[in-house]
Every structure is written in C-alpha cells, then in structure tokens.
Amino acid sequence: MDKSISENGETTADGSIRGYDSLHQLLSANLKPELYQEVSRLLLGSNCGRSLEQIVLPDSAKALSSKHDFDLQAVSFSADKEQMRKPRVVRVGLIQNSIALPTTAPFSDQKRGIFEKLKPMIDAAGAAGVNILCLQEAWTMPFAFCTREKKWCEFAEPVNGESTKFLQELAKKYNMVIVSPILERDMDHGEVLWNTAVIIGNNGNIIGKHRKNHIPRVGDFNESTYYMEGDTGHPVFETVFGKIAVNICYGRHHPLNWLAFGLNGAEIVFNPSATVGELSEPMWPVEARNAAIANSYFVGSINRVGTEVFPNAFTSGDGKPQHNDFGHFYGSSYFSSPDASCTPSLSRCRDGLMISDMDLNLCRQYKDKWGFRMTARYEVYADLLGEYIKPDFKPQVVSDPMLHKNSS
C-alpha cells in the first residue's frame, strides 16, 4: 500500500494524503475486490444487507461539478418493502465549501464571493432533484469567531436578511427546502447575536429557525465572545419532504442533544459544522453515525474546507504560541442512517456536494427492530437529571468498605 500511496497521493505535513478524496477511494485502489467489499462492509456498514448503491445523476449536474471544480457524490439508502406503507424516498444534499476570497478582502466582497461560489453548487443540487439541502455552519463568512475580534460581527444579519433572500429565490426555483446556518443579528432584542440555522421552505417561505444549543470553550474554539447558548430548544421542522432538525456543530458532542431532537420526532438531523483536523477528526466519523443508530434517524454531517488565514494573530489560552489560522477544516461531509450504514465522505480538501436518496420508512423500521424507545428508561434518567441539577446532589457511588479500612 505504501508504494501506491507514493504514486497516487501526496503526503502532507500533517500526515494526511492528498490525491484521494476519502479512505473509501484509497482502499478501493489498493485492495482486491472481495477484500475491499468486506472492509467496506465493516467501515461503512450495509444497508438492508447490501452495499449502498450509487445514484446516476443528470449530465447537467456533473457538468457544473466539472466546470466549477467541486466534489460530487451521490449514494442511495433503501428500506425494506412494507405492505401497509409506500416508500417515502427523499433526496437530500449537503454542501461543504472553502471561502472565496482572503480574509483581508473587503467584507462585502468576501460575502459576495461566497454567494457566487455556492450558486453553481446549489444549481447542481437543483438539477439533481434535491428536495432538502443543508449548508455548512456560518456559510456566509470566514469562521472568524475564535479571533475574538469584534469587527467580524459585521457579517451578522437578520433572519430575513441578504443570505436568506438569496436562498429563497433558489428554494422556490428548485422546489427545495434549504437549511441556512448564519450569524444572526436579532433586531427585536437589542441586536444580540446568535449562531442560527434558518429553515427556508420549498415555496421560498421562512419556516423557522434554530439557535445553536452548545457553545465550545476548547482550544481556539472559544465562541462565546460572539454568541451564547441558544434559546430555541430542540425544534423539529415539518416540511413537505419530512421532519428535519439542526444540531449545530459542537452540539454533536452532547448525546442528550441528539436525543432531544429524536424525542421530538426528527427523521433527518443535520449537523452543520466548522472543525479542524488536529482537534476533532478522529471523532468525526463516529459521533453522528452513533447518533443515527441510537435515535433511529438519518444524519447529515457537514464540515467546511480549507485553511483560513487571518490578518491578526491570536492566541488560544492553551499555551500555544500566537497564530493566524485555526488549522485545516477537513471537509469529509457524509450521511449516516439508522441501520448503521453510512456514505463515503466528501473530500478533505475540495468543495463538495453530497447527495443521498433515503427512504424515511427506515426510521420506523429500526425503531421496531431494536426497540430503543421501548427499552429506554426515561423515567430513571429524568430522576437522575432532576437530582443532578440540584446544588446538594451527591453521586450514587457505592464504595467497597475495605477501601476505607485499608487506607486507615
């Protein structure tokens, strides 16, 4: 395998391999077909006992991918045929992208450049018949929240602001629901800022919004300089194509956050994110896939791409010297399903559009198969949580009496 890597991929300073869009492609290039099938089954799971099937996309979508140089992948999840219900197949898309201009460019030019970059990618999704499309966290701007410089607040906008108007036209044109994560400026409450996902309906209407529940305070990602924990709870948005929810970025590290969207009836949960390789990459393939299994819904995980360099150096407060970037946003967007299968990921280094057909009947089928909702002990968890939040809480720990005897 080392020989193939040296011929086909370029090893970077951080040990990653450029030239391969995913581990899936790397394995397929270096393993015998029968061994590859078995490795793929173990890594990606099997959907209803079979490998995931590729979707044939229209030439117009593929032409846009080639012309504008973005990764384009399309995979289908199926469900078992039922006697009492028809299949409920929905086509879903994820877009990951790098910024369009250097962070030193005028802010209006940066924002316009991102709009221009995403337009052909959204057009490709529309040409491919995508029903629901989700963009990455804070897609309208560089991910400047950890610089702690307040000038980046200029990118904030109301829920019905410029980016929403831009997407409303496309949503209506393509009969597509679009999830648009932005930096929100709440004009009704003293212009407070929030990290917000706006849900735009397929008729171009605004269905609602969700604000990020969990704010990181780890390494460079100390985002509470700009916004605090959201106040919208765990809403599920019922659209013509299914019930969707948005677990924004750092919320994926909190199992109860995933659980709450499931309890409210979500069938697809999106996780628009901005995270870098050194911090979280080993966790990335695990958390969303586990959430899909545990909560019997589909998950779409989106991460931005590229290294964003800022004009002024900043520090993390973790002992590292000052620096001008957060590290490499490693893309790798993918879908997970309730049956533990998942798609190959998009590129670590390129813009990309991931498309998946998913039969939402699979959600109920796996609730029935595993019985997680029936076997969960919510009343026990509720009692524990009710006690835990009290100031006088004591953990339920039973100590071996010999421990104290020996120590004395």
Side-chain angles (χ1 to χ4, degrees), residues 202-258:
N202 59 304
N203 293 308
N205 56 307
I206 297 174
I207 297 176
K209 67 187 176 193
H210 173 58
R211 291 167 173 164
K212 186 173 180 176
N213 278 330
H214 299 276
I215 307 302
R217 293 164 178 82
V218 53
D220 282 330
F221 292 86
N222 188 358
E223 300 169 23
S224 56
T225 301
Y226 297 88
Y227 41 77
M228 296 298 285
E229 286 76 10
D231 61 356
T232 53
H234 296 86
V236 169
F237 302 94
E238 186 172 15
T239 76
V240 66
F241 302 115
K243 295 179 180 179
I244 66 174
V246 192
N247 183 4
I248 303 174
C249 197
Y250 191 70
R252 73 181 178 279
H253 304 307
H254 295 269
L256 291 178
N257 208 43
W258 290 109

Side-chain angles (χ1 to χ4, degrees), residues 92-129:
V92 186
L94 313 173
I95 288 180
Q96 64 177 44
N97 61 277
S98 57
I99 56 177
L101 295 174
T103 60
T104 51
F107 287 178
S108 58
D109 292 348
Q110 290 189 53
K111 191 171 186 179
R112 189 181 313 110
I114 293 173
F115 283 19
E116 292 172 356
K117 169 179 274 205
L118 258 67
K119 175 64 163 54
M121 300 177 73
I122 299 173
D123 287 338

